[in-house]
PDB file of all heavy atoms in Angstrom:
ATOM      1  N   SER H 235       7.991  -4.893   2.523  1.00 98.00           N
ATOM      2  CA  SER H 235       8.759  -4.073   3.442  1.00 98.00           C
ATOM      3  C   SER H 235       8.150  -2.682   3.485  1.00 98.00           C
ATOM      4  O   SER H 235       7.914  -2.064   2.445  1.00 98.00           O
ATOM      5  CB  SER H 235      10.223  -4.008   3.012  1.00 98.00           C
ATOM      6  OG  SER H 235      10.824  -5.285   3.155  1.00 98.00           O
ATOM      7  N   VAL H 236       7.870  -2.203   4.710  1.00 98.00           N
ATOM      8  CA  VAL H 236       7.164  -0.949   4.924  1.00 98.00           C
ATOM      9  C   VAL H 236       7.899  -0.126   5.963  1.00 98.00           C
ATOM     10  O   VAL H 236       8.319  -0.662   6.996  1.00 98.00           O
ATOM     11  CB  VAL H 236       5.709  -1.219   5.415  1.00 98.00           C
ATOM     12  CG1 VAL H 236       4.935   0.083   5.569  1.00 98.00           C
ATOM     13  CG2 VAL H 236       4.981  -2.191   4.497  1.00 98.00           C
ATOM     14  N   ARG H 237       8.038   1.161   5.710  1.00 97.00           N
ATOM     15  CA  ARG H 237       8.640   2.058   6.708  1.00 97.00           C
ATOM     16  C   ARG H 237       7.689   2.193   7.904  1.00 97.00           C
ATOM     17  O   ARG H 237       6.494   2.366   7.730  1.00 97.00           O
ATOM     18  CB  ARG H 237       8.882   3.451   6.109  1.00 97.00           C
ATOM     19  CG  ARG H 237      10.015   3.511   5.121  1.00 97.00           C
ATOM     20  CD  ARG H 237      10.222   4.965   4.632  1.00 97.00           C
ATOM     21  NE  ARG H 237      11.305   5.033   3.707  1.00 97.00           N
ATOM     22  CZ  ARG H 237      12.583   5.215   4.034  1.00 97.00           C
ATOM     23  NH1 ARG H 237      12.906   5.308   5.317  1.00 97.00           N
ATOM     24  NH2 ARG H 237      13.518   5.261   3.124  1.00 97.00           N
ATOM     25  N   PRO H 238       8.227   2.131   9.138  1.00 98.00           N
ATOM     26  CA  PRO H 238       7.367   2.209  10.333  1.00 98.00           C
ATOM     27  C   PRO H 238       6.537   3.496  10.409  1.00 98.00           C
ATOM     28  O   PRO H 238       5.480   3.502  11.000  1.00 98.00           O
ATOM     29  CB  PRO H 238       8.370   2.124  11.494  1.00 98.00           C
ATOM     30  CG  PRO H 238       9.512   1.368  10.929  1.00 98.00           C
ATOM     31  CD  PRO H 238       9.608   1.803   9.479  1.00 98.00           C
ATOM     32  N   GLU H 239       7.009   4.583   9.806  1.00 97.00           N
ATOM     33  CA  GLU H 239       6.264   5.826   9.887  1.00 97.00           C
ATOM     34  C   GLU H 239       5.097   5.925   8.895  1.00 97.00           C
ATOM     35  O   GLU H 239       4.300   6.851   8.962  1.00 97.00           O
ATOM     36  CB  GLU H 239       7.191   7.051   9.706  1.00 97.00           C
ATOM     37  CG  GLU H 239       7.929   7.097   8.389  1.00 97.00           C
ATOM     38  CD  GLU H 239       9.301   6.424   8.416  1.00 97.00           C
ATOM     39  OE1 GLU H 239       9.593   5.617   9.335  1.00 97.00           O
ATOM     40  OE2 GLU H 239      10.070   6.687   7.483  1.00 97.00           O
ATOM     41  N   ARG H 240       4.975   4.952   8.029  1.00 97.00           N
ATOM     42  CA  ARG H 240       3.868   4.974   7.063  1.00 97.00           C
ATOM     43  C   ARG H 240       2.571   4.609   7.762  1.00 97.00           C
ATOM     44  O   ARG H 240       2.526   3.744   8.656  1.00 97.00           O
ATOM     45  CB  ARG H 240       4.130   3.990   5.910  1.00 97.00           C
ATOM     46  CG  ARG H 240       5.331   4.323   5.033  1.00 97.00           C
ATOM     47  CD  ARG H 240       5.182   5.612   4.220  1.00 97.00           C
ATOM     48  NE  ARG H 240       4.107   5.576   3.272  1.00 97.00           N
ATOM     49  CZ  ARG H 240       4.228   5.253   1.989  1.00 97.00           C
ATOM     50  NH1 ARG H 240       5.394   4.941   1.498  1.00 97.00           N
ATOM     51  NH2 ARG H 240       3.164   5.259   1.216  1.00 97.00           N
ATOM     52  N   TYR H 241       1.480   5.244   7.361  1.00 97.00           N
ATOM     53  CA  TYR H 241       0.152   5.039   7.955  1.00 97.00           C
ATOM     54  C   TYR H 241      -0.257   3.563   7.926  1.00 97.00           C
ATOM     55  O   TYR H 241      -0.805   3.036   8.895  1.00 97.00           O
ATOM     56  CB  TYR H 241      -0.848   5.915   7.188  1.00 97.00           C
ATOM     57  CG  TYR H 241      -2.286   5.788   7.631  1.00 97.00           C
ATOM     58  CD1 TYR H 241      -2.693   6.243   8.876  1.00 97.00           C
ATOM     59  CD2 TYR H 241      -3.244   5.268   6.766  1.00 97.00           C
ATOM     60  CE1 TYR H 241      -4.016   6.161   9.277  1.00 97.00           C
ATOM     61  CE2 TYR H 241      -4.564   5.177   7.141  1.00 97.00           C
ATOM     62  CZ  TYR H 241      -4.943   5.612   8.391  1.00 97.00           C
ATOM     63  OH  TYR H 241      -6.250   5.523   8.775  1.00 97.00           O
ATOM     64  N   SER H 242       0.014   2.874   6.837  1.00 98.00           N
ATOM     65  CA  SER H 242      -0.381   1.464   6.700  1.00 98.00           C
ATOM     66  C   SER H 242       0.394   0.526   7.612  1.00 98.00           C
ATOM     67  O   SER H 242      -0.078  -0.560   7.920  1.00 98.00           O
ATOM     68  CB  SER H 242      -0.206   1.003   5.242  1.00 98.00           C
ATOM     69  OG  SER H 242      -1.086   1.689   4.406  1.00 98.00           O
ATOM     70  N   HIS H 243       1.579   0.931   8.006  1.00 98.00           N
ATOM     71  CA  HIS H 243       2.409   0.068   8.872  1.00 98.00           C
ATOM     72  C   HIS H 243       1.654  -0.337  10.125  1.00 98.00           C
ATOM     73  O   HIS H 243       1.623  -1.513  10.485  1.00 98.00           O
ATOM     74  CB  HIS H 243       3.717   0.785   9.201  1.00 98.00           C
ATOM     75  CG  HIS H 243       4.659  -0.060  10.013  1.00 98.00           C
ATOM     76  ND1 HIS H 243       4.503  -0.241  11.376  1.00 98.00           N
ATOM     77  CD2 HIS H 243       5.744  -0.772   9.651  1.00 98.00           C
ATOM     78  CE1 HIS H 243       5.472  -1.030  11.816  1.00 98.00           C
ATOM     79  NE2 HIS H 243       6.242  -1.362  10.793  1.00 98.00           N
ATOM     80  N   ASP H 244       1.076   0.640  10.816  1.00 98.00           N
ATOM     81  CA  ASP H 244       0.354   0.341  12.039  1.00 98.00           C
ATOM     82  C   ASP H 244      -0.883  -0.506  11.788  1.00 98.00           C
ATOM     83  O   ASP H 244      -1.224  -1.383  12.578  1.00 98.00           O
ATOM     84  CB  ASP H 244      -0.052   1.638  12.771  1.00 98.00           C
ATOM     85  CG  ASP H 244       1.148   2.328  13.411  1.00 98.00           C
ATOM     86  OD1 ASP H 244       2.201   1.692  13.577  1.00 98.00           O
ATOM     87  OD2 ASP H 244       1.021   3.520  13.766  1.00 98.00           O
ATOM     88  N   ILE H 245      -1.568  -0.236  10.677  1.00 98.00           N
ATOM     89  CA  ILE H 245      -2.766  -1.007  10.337  1.00 98.00           C
ATOM     90  C   ILE H 245      -2.413  -2.477  10.142  1.00 98.00           C
ATOM     91  O   ILE H 245      -3.046  -3.378  10.702  1.00 98.00           O
ATOM     92  CB  ILE H 245      -3.468  -0.450   9.082  1.00 98.00           C
ATOM     93  CG1 ILE H 245      -3.935   0.977   9.326  1.00 98.00           C
ATOM     94  CG2 ILE H 245      -4.639  -1.335   8.676  1.00 98.00           C
ATOM     95  CD1 ILE H 245      -4.450   1.699   8.075  1.00 98.00           C
ATOM     96  N   ILE H 246      -1.379  -2.731   9.350  1.00 98.00           N
ATOM     97  CA  ILE H 246      -0.955  -4.114   9.082  1.00 98.00           C
ATOM     98  C   ILE H 246      -0.428  -4.771  10.361  1.00 98.00           C
ATOM     99  O   ILE H 246      -0.729  -5.938  10.640  1.00 98.00           O
ATOM    100  CB  ILE H 246       0.075  -4.152   7.943  1.00 98.00           C
ATOM    101  CG1 ILE H 246      -0.570  -3.680   6.628  1.00 98.00           C
ATOM    102  CG2 ILE H 246       0.649  -5.566   7.776  1.00 98.00           C
ATOM    103  CD1 ILE H 246       0.401  -3.415   5.500  1.00 98.00           C
ATOM    104  N   SER H 247       0.312  -4.020  11.163  1.00 98.00           N
ATOM    105  CA  SER H 247       0.832  -4.550  12.446  1.00 98.00           C
ATOM    106  C   SER H 247      -0.315  -4.976  13.364  1.00 98.00           C
ATOM    107  O   SER H 247      -0.254  -6.022  13.998  1.00 98.00           O
ATOM    108  CB  SER H 247       1.695  -3.516  13.145  1.00 98.00           C
ATOM    109  OG  SER H 247       2.862  -3.245  12.405  1.00 98.00           O
ATOM    110  N   GLU H 248      -1.367  -4.151  13.445  1.00 98.00           N
ATOM    111  CA  GLU H 248      -2.489  -4.428  14.342  1.00 98.00           C
ATOM    112  C   GLU H 248      -3.405  -5.545  13.830  1.00 98.00           C
ATOM    113  O   GLU H 248      -3.843  -6.388  14.599  1.00 98.00           O
ATOM    114  CB  GLU H 248      -3.319  -3.154  14.550  1.00 98.00           C
ATOM    115  CG  GLU H 248      -2.592  -2.094  15.359  1.00 98.00           C
ATOM    116  CD  GLU H 248      -3.318  -0.756  15.358  1.00 98.00           C
ATOM    117  OE1 GLU H 248      -4.565  -0.747  15.138  1.00 98.00           O
ATOM    118  OE2 GLU H 248      -2.654   0.258  15.574  1.00 98.00           O
ATOM    119  N   THR H 249      -3.683  -5.559  12.537  1.00 98.00           N
ATOM    120  CA  THR H 249      -4.639  -6.523  12.001  1.00 98.00           C
ATOM    121  C   THR H 249      -3.990  -7.843  11.599  1.00 98.00           C
ATOM    122  O   THR H 249      -4.653  -8.882  11.543  1.00 98.00           O
ATOM    123  CB  THR H 249      -5.364  -5.969  10.775  1.00 98.00           C
ATOM    124  OG1 THR H 249      -4.418  -5.738   9.715  1.00 98.00           O
ATOM    125  CG2 THR H 249      -6.104  -4.668  11.113  1.00 98.00           C
ATOM    126  N   GLY H 250      -2.701  -7.801  11.247  1.00 98.00           N
ATOM    127  CA  GLY H 250      -1.998  -9.014  10.838  1.00 98.00           C
ATOM    128  C   GLY H 250      -2.427  -9.534   9.475  1.00 98.00           C
ATOM    129  O   GLY H 250      -2.249 -10.716   9.187  1.00 98.00           O
ATOM    130  N   GLU H 251      -2.944  -8.648   8.625  1.00 98.00           N
ATOM    131  CA  GLU H 251      -3.349  -9.088   7.291  1.00 98.00           C
ATOM    132  C   GLU H 251      -3.296  -7.943   6.293  1.00 98.00           C
ATOM    133  O   GLU H 251      -3.325  -6.773   6.664  1.00 98.00           O
ATOM    134  CB  GLU H 251      -4.752  -9.717   7.329  1.00 98.00           C
ATOM    135  CG  GLU H 251      -5.834  -8.778   7.816  1.00 98.00           C
ATOM    136  CD  GLU H 251      -7.187  -9.449   7.937  1.00 98.00           C
ATOM    137  OE1 GLU H 251      -7.255 -10.659   8.254  1.00 98.00           O
ATOM    138  OE2 GLU H 251      -8.188  -8.760   7.688  1.00 98.00           O
ATOM    139  N   PHE H 252      -3.216  -8.311   5.023  1.00 98.00           N
ATOM    140  CA  PHE H 252      -3.216  -7.341   3.927  1.00 98.00           C
ATOM    141  C   PHE H 252      -3.485  -8.086   2.633  1.00 98.00           C
ATOM    142  O   PHE H 252      -3.469  -9.309   2.591  1.00 98.00           O
ATOM    143  CB  PHE H 252      -1.888  -6.576   3.863  1.00 98.00           C
ATOM    144  CG  PHE H 252      -0.667  -7.443   3.716  1.00 98.00           C
ATOM    145  CD1 PHE H 252      -0.178  -7.818   2.453  1.00 98.00           C
ATOM    146  CD2 PHE H 252       0.044  -7.881   4.839  1.00 98.00           C
ATOM    147  CE1 PHE H 252       0.953  -8.611   2.326  1.00 98.00           C
ATOM    148  CE2 PHE H 252       1.177  -8.670   4.707  1.00 98.00           C
ATOM    149  CZ  PHE H 252       1.634  -9.030   3.442  1.00 98.00           C
ATOM    150  N   VAL H 253      -3.756  -7.314   1.584  1.00 98.00           N
ATOM    151  CA  VAL H 253      -3.949  -7.881   0.255  1.00 98.00           C
ATOM    152  C   VAL H 253      -2.958  -7.209  -0.697  1.00 98.00           C
ATOM    153  O   VAL H 253      -2.884  -5.991  -0.749  1.00 98.00           O
ATOM    154  CB  VAL H 253      -5.392  -7.673  -0.263  1.00 98.00           C
ATOM    155  CG1 VAL H 253      -5.557  -8.244  -1.681  1.00 98.00           C
ATOM    156  CG2 VAL H 253      -6.411  -8.302   0.684  1.00 98.00           C
ATOM    157  N   ILE H 254      -2.175  -8.020  -1.409  1.00 98.00           N
ATOM    158  CA  ILE H 254      -1.313  -7.496  -2.464  1.00 98.00           C
ATOM    159  C   ILE H 254      -2.133  -7.483  -3.743  1.00 98.00           C
ATOM    160  O   ILE H 254      -2.650  -8.513  -4.161  1.00 98.00           O
ATOM    161  CB  ILE H 254      -0.060  -8.368  -2.662  1.00 98.00           C
ATOM    162  CG1 ILE H 254       0.809  -8.366  -1.392  1.00 98.00           C
ATOM    163  CG2 ILE H 254       0.740  -7.895  -3.879  1.00 98.00           C
ATOM    164  CD1 ILE H 254       1.996  -9.298  -1.453  1.00 98.00           C
ATOM    165  N   ASN H 255      -2.262  -6.303  -4.347  1.00 98.00           N
ATOM    166  CA  ASN H 255      -3.043  -6.125  -5.569  1.00 98.00           C
ATOM    167  C   ASN H 255      -2.056  -5.801  -6.687  1.00 98.00           C
ATOM    168  O   ASN H 255      -1.368  -4.774  -6.645  1.00 98.00           O
ATOM    169  CB  ASN H 255      -4.029  -4.979  -5.393  1.00 98.00           C
ATOM    170  CG  ASN H 255      -4.958  -5.201  -4.226  1.00 98.00           C
ATOM    171  OD1 ASN H 255      -5.969  -5.872  -4.343  1.00 98.00           O
ATOM    172  ND2 ASN H 255      -4.598  -4.655  -3.055  1.00 98.00           N
ATOM    173  N   LEU H 256      -1.965  -6.697  -7.692  1.00 98.00           N
ATOM    174  CA  LEU H 256      -1.035  -6.453  -8.798  1.00 98.00           C
ATOM    175  C   LEU H 256      -1.498  -5.266  -9.613  1.00 98.00           C
ATOM    176  O   LEU H 256      -2.680  -4.974  -9.703  1.00 98.00           O
ATOM    177  CB  LEU H 256      -0.905  -7.693  -9.669  1.00 98.00           C
ATOM    178  CG  LEU H 256      -0.369  -8.970  -8.987  1.00 98.00           C
ATOM    179  CD1 LEU H 256      -0.077 -10.048 -10.029  1.00 98.00           C
ATOM    180  CD2 LEU H 256       0.849  -8.686  -8.145  1.00 98.00           C
ATOM    181  N   VAL H 257      -0.519  -4.564 -10.204  1.00 98.00           N
ATOM    182  CA  VAL H 257      -0.789  -3.323 -10.920  1.00 98.00           C
ATOM    183  C   VAL H 257      -0.545  -3.520 -12.413  1.00 98.00           C
ATOM    184  O   VAL H 257       0.529  -3.975 -12.825  1.00 98.00           O
ATOM    185  CB  VAL H 257       0.108  -2.184 -10.383  1.00 98.00           C
ATOM    186  CG1 VAL H 257      -0.069  -0.908 -11.171  1.00 98.00           C
ATOM    187  CG2 VAL H 257      -0.183  -1.948  -8.900  1.00 98.00           C
ATOM    188  N   ASN H 258      -1.543  -3.149 -13.203  1.00 97.00           N
ATOM    189  CA  ASN H 258      -1.397  -3.172 -14.662  1.00 97.00           C
ATOM    190  C   ASN H 258      -1.208  -1.763 -15.198  1.00 97.00           C
ATOM    191  O   ASN H 258      -1.229  -0.784 -14.420  1.00 97.00           O
ATOM    192  CB  ASN H 258      -2.595  -3.883 -15.336  1.00 97.00           C
ATOM    193  CG  ASN H 258      -3.919  -3.225 -15.011  1.00 97.00           C
ATOM    194  OD1 ASN H 258      -3.983  -2.078 -14.562  1.00 97.00           O
ATOM    195  ND2 ASN H 258      -4.993  -3.956 -15.239  1.00 97.00           N
ATOM    196  N   LYS H 259      -1.035  -1.662 -16.483  1.00 97.00           N
ATOM    197  CA  LYS H 259      -0.767  -0.362 -17.109  1.00 97.00           C
ATOM    198  C   LYS H 259      -1.873   0.650 -16.788  1.00 97.00           C
ATOM    199  O   LYS H 259      -1.601   1.818 -16.510  1.00 97.00           O
ATOM    200  CB  LYS H 259      -0.638  -0.547 -18.628  1.00 97.00           C
ATOM    201  CG  LYS H 259      -0.272   0.706 -19.366  1.00 97.00           C
ATOM    202  CD  LYS H 259      -0.100   0.429 -20.843  1.00 97.00           C
ATOM    203  CE  LYS H 259       0.188   1.720 -21.607  1.00 97.00           C
ATOM    204  NZ  LYS H 259       0.322   1.467 -23.042  1.00 97.00           N
ATOM    205  N   LYS H 260      -3.134   0.211 -16.818  1.00 97.00           N
ATOM    206  CA  LYS H 260      -4.246   1.122 -16.547  1.00 97.00           C
ATOM    207  C   LYS H 260      -4.220   1.685 -15.123  1.00 97.00           C
ATOM    208  O   LYS H 260      -4.735   2.762 -14.870  1.00 97.00           O
ATOM    209  CB  LYS H 260      -5.587   0.398 -16.776  1.00 97.00           C
ATOM    210  CG  LYS H 260      -5.933   0.231 -18.229  1.00 97.00           C
ATOM    211  CD  LYS H 260      -7.168  -0.634 -18.461  1.00 97.00           C
ATOM    212  CE  LYS H 260      -8.370  -0.158 -17.708  1.00 97.00           C
ATOM    213  NZ  LYS H 260      -9.578  -0.946 -18.012  1.00 97.00           N
ATOM    214  N   LEU H 261      -3.621   0.960 -14.195  1.00 98.00           N
ATOM    215  CA  LEU H 261      -3.581   1.385 -12.800  1.00 98.00           C
ATOM    216  C   LEU H 261      -2.296   2.129 -12.409  1.00 98.00           C
ATOM    217  O   LEU H 261      -2.109   2.451 -11.238  1.00 98.00           O
ATOM    218  CB  LEU H 261      -3.753   0.160 -11.876  1.00 98.00           C
ATOM    219  CG  LEU H 261      -5.140  -0.478 -11.854  1.00 98.00           C
ATOM    220  CD1 LEU H 261      -5.092  -1.801 -11.096  1.00 98.00           C
ATOM    221  CD2 LEU H 261      -6.164   0.470 -11.243  1.00 98.00           C
ATOM    222  N   THR H 262      -1.436   2.406 -13.357  1.00 98.00           N
ATOM    223  CA  THR H 262      -0.138   3.014 -13.041  1.00 98.00           C
ATOM    224  C   THR H 262      -0.267   4.351 -12.319  1.00 98.00           C
ATOM    225  O   THR H 262       0.396   4.596 -11.316  1.00 98.00           O
ATOM    226  CB  THR H 262       0.737   3.159 -14.294  1.00 98.00           C
ATOM    227  OG1 THR H 262       0.872   1.877 -14.919  1.00 98.00           O
ATOM    228  CG2 THR H 262       2.123   3.678 -13.963  1.00 98.00           C
ATOM    229  N   LYS H 263      -1.110   5.231 -12.826  1.00 98.00           N
ATOM    230  CA  LYS H 263      -1.273   6.558 -12.182  1.00 98.00           C
ATOM    231  C   LYS H 263      -1.870   6.383 -10.771  1.00 98.00           C
ATOM    232  O   LYS H 263      -1.442   7.056  -9.834  1.00 98.00           O
ATOM    233  CB  LYS H 263      -2.154   7.466 -13.036  1.00 98.00           C
ATOM    234  CG  LYS H 263      -2.218   8.878 -12.527  1.00 98.00           C
ATOM    235  CD  LYS H 263      -2.952   9.785 -13.496  1.00 98.00           C
ATOM    236  CE  LYS H 263      -2.928  11.229 -12.987  1.00 98.00           C
ATOM    237  NZ  LYS H 263      -3.606  12.130 -13.921  1.00 98.00           N
ATOM    238  N   THR H 264      -2.835   5.490 -10.629  1.00 98.00           N
ATOM    239  CA  THR H 264      -3.417   5.192  -9.326  1.00 98.00           C
ATOM    240  C   THR H 264      -2.358   4.657  -8.370  1.00 98.00           C
ATOM    241  O   THR H 264      -2.275   5.068  -7.211  1.00 98.00           O
ATOM    242  CB  THR H 264      -4.569   4.172  -9.489  1.00 98.00           C
ATOM    243  OG1 THR H 264      -5.556   4.745 -10.352  1.00 98.00           O
ATOM    244  CG2 THR H 264      -5.171   3.795  -8.165  1.00 98.00           C
ATOM    245  N   ASN H 265      -1.542   3.752  -8.859  1.00 98.00           N
ATOM    246  CA  ASN H 265      -0.437   3.179  -8.082  1.00 98.00           C
ATOM    247  C   ASN H 265       0.493   4.282  -7.585  1.00 98.00           C
ATOM    248  O   ASN H 265       0.880   4.300  -6.412  1.00 98.00           O
ATOM    249  CB  ASN H 265       0.316   2.179  -8.965  1.00 98.00           C
ATOM    250  CG  ASN H 265       1.465   1.521  -8.289  1.00 98.00           C
ATOM    251  OD1 ASN H 265       1.295   0.752  -7.360  1.00 98.00           O
ATOM    252  ND2 ASN H 265       2.673   1.804  -8.761  1.00 98.00           N
ATOM    253  N   ASP H 266       0.842   5.196  -8.455  1.00 98.00           N
ATOM    254  CA  ASP H 266       1.715   6.293  -8.072  1.00 98.00           C
ATOM    255  C   ASP H 266       1.054   7.182  -7.006  1.00 98.00           C
ATOM    256  O   ASP H 266       1.680   7.504  -5.996  1.00 98.00           O
ATOM    257  CB  ASP H 266       2.091   7.125  -9.310  1.00 98.00           C
ATOM    258  CG  ASP H 266       3.114   8.179  -8.985  1.00 98.00           C
ATOM    259  OD1 ASP H 266       4.272   7.818  -8.671  1.00 98.00           O
ATOM    260  OD2 ASP H 266       2.784   9.377  -9.004  1.00 98.00           O
ATOM    261  N   TYR H 267      -0.210   7.542  -7.220  1.00 98.00           N
ATOM    262  CA  TYR H 267      -0.940   8.386  -6.273  1.00 98.00           C
ATOM    263  C   TYR H 267      -0.955   7.734  -4.882  1.00 98.00           C
ATOM    264  O   TYR H 267      -0.750   8.401  -3.869  1.00 98.00           O
ATOM    265  CB  TYR H 267      -2.373   8.603  -6.770  1.00 98.00           C
ATOM    266  CG  TYR H 267      -3.227   9.430  -5.837  1.00 98.00           C
ATOM    267  CD1 TYR H 267      -3.226  10.820  -5.915  1.00 98.00           C
ATOM    268  CD2 TYR H 267      -4.041   8.827  -4.878  1.00 98.00           C
ATOM    269  CE1 TYR H 267      -4.006  11.578  -5.064  1.00 98.00           C
ATOM    270  CE2 TYR H 267      -4.812   9.571  -4.022  1.00 98.00           C
ATOM    271  CZ  TYR H 267      -4.802  10.956  -4.109  1.00 98.00           C
ATOM    272  OH  TYR H 267      -5.578  11.687  -3.251  1.00 98.00           O
ATOM    273  N   CYS H 268      -1.217   6.438  -4.845  1.00 98.00           N
ATOM    274  CA  CYS H 268      -1.298   5.734  -3.566  1.00 98.00           C
ATOM    275  C   CYS H 268       0.050   5.655  -2.865  1.00 98.00           C
ATOM    276  O   CYS H 268       0.112   5.355  -1.668  1.00 98.00           O
ATOM    277  CB  CYS H 268      -1.901   4.344  -3.756  1.00 98.00           C
ATOM    278  SG  CYS H 268      -3.661   4.409  -4.197  1.00 98.00           S
ATOM    279  N   GLY H 269       1.132   5.927  -3.594  1.00 96.00           N
ATOM    280  CA  GLY H 269       2.456   5.934  -3.014  1.00 96.00           C
ATOM    281  C   GLY H 269       2.920   7.291  -2.541  1.00 96.00           C
ATOM    282  O   GLY H 269       3.881   7.397  -1.776  1.00 96.00           O
TER     283      GLY H 269
END
């Protein structure tokens, strides 16, 4: 679920695809930054 005003919303709507990347402990800060 993505808010329509988010930059990625339009990208996913137009391309019809995405990749879910699971997050481990080492990626927590990166995960936060990307949010």
Side-chain angles (χ1 to χ4, degrees):
S235 293
V236 183
R237 288 182 179 273
E239 60 269 17
R240 296 293 298 264
Y241 178 67
S242 294
H243 183 282
D244 287 344
I245 298 171
I246 295 168
S247 294
E248 291 170 23
T249 64
E251 59 185 33
F252 57 89
V253 178
I254 297 174
N255 303 276
L256 299 189
V257 176
N258 59 16
K259 184 178 177 182
K260 284 173 55 176
L261 289 171
T262 304
K263 187 172 183 179
T264 300
N265 180 67
D266 186 68
Y267 178 87
C268 291

